[in-house]
Amino acid sequence: MFSTNCTVWKEKPAAWTNATAPEQFERLFWQAVKAKNWKAVEAQLSATYVALTPTGVLDRTAALAQFKQLDLTDYSIGDFVTEPNGNDMVVTYTMTMRGSFAGHALPATPVRMRTVWQQVKHGWIAIAYAQPIMSPFGRE
């Protein structure tokens, strides 16, 4: 007699330790921002991280301060375009945020964002970030 068994593996949710795709890095990063897990956010930003925002160019410290003013209640990410460049991955995507920034409601309109992720010995870190001038994130 011949018997077949079907085994179904539950896919492990992406975590920084098992993420392999830039789309996963973005999702994990924004999950950490939403959860206000600043330790995780900081761990994913390079020491030389730079962000281009409507208010200007921010270094790592200033960018973290800005992220901490963001109170995300929900968000959606899509339209991913990934461009490999040596040890880097340039990720462009559309994001719609719901919540507030510095106490002001965020408009629920999609915006384009771009992050450059770099592969290092312990995984991937963000080295640069850019958002459009008309972004709801980062207005004064």
Side-chain angles (χ1 to χ4, degrees):
M1 173 168 212
F2 181 69
S3 172
T4 61
N5 292 328
C6 180
T7 303
V8 178
W9 289 283
K10 272 193 149 181
E11 194 172 315
K12 290 174 85 173
W16 289 111
T17 55
N18 67 1
T20 58
E23 181 176 336
Q24 291 173 318
F25 308 149
E26 289 298 333
R27 291 186 189 285
L28 289 165
F29 181 82
W30 288 108
Q31 285 171 9
V33 171
K34 181 181 177 193
K36 300 184 184 318
N37 183 348
W38 305 123
K39 187 175 180 178
V41 171
E42 290 180 43
Q44 296 316 128
L45 301 180
S46 76
T48 58
Y49 178 84
V50 63
L52 177 60
T53 73
T55 59
V57 178
L58 307 176
D59 65 9
R60 183 178 192 268
T61 302
L64 280 167
Q66 194 171 73
F67 284 127
K68 289 178 180 181
Q69 293 183 62
L70 185 61
D71 185 21
L72 284 179
T73 57
D74 196 16
Y75 62 91
S76 61
I77 306 175
D79 302 323
F80 280 92
V81 176
T82 303
E83 302 165 19
N85 185 1
N87 287 339
D88 300 340
M89 290 291 231
V90 179
V91 185
T92 304
Y93 57 98
T94 302
M95 184 169 185
T96 303
M97 296 184 240
R98 288 173 252 342
S100 63
F101 176 77
H104 300 285
L106 296 169
T109 55
V111 294
R112 280 280 195 203
M113 298 191 180
R114 172 172 279 183
T115 307
V116 179
W117 291 92
Q118 186 172 77
Q119 189 172 23
V120 294
K121 288 182 183 180
H122 66 277
W124 289 84
I125 57 172
I127 62 170
Y129 166 80
Q131 63 191 41
I133 298 302
M134 295 306 293
S135 172
F137 179 68
R139 287 190 193 156
E140 291 189 306

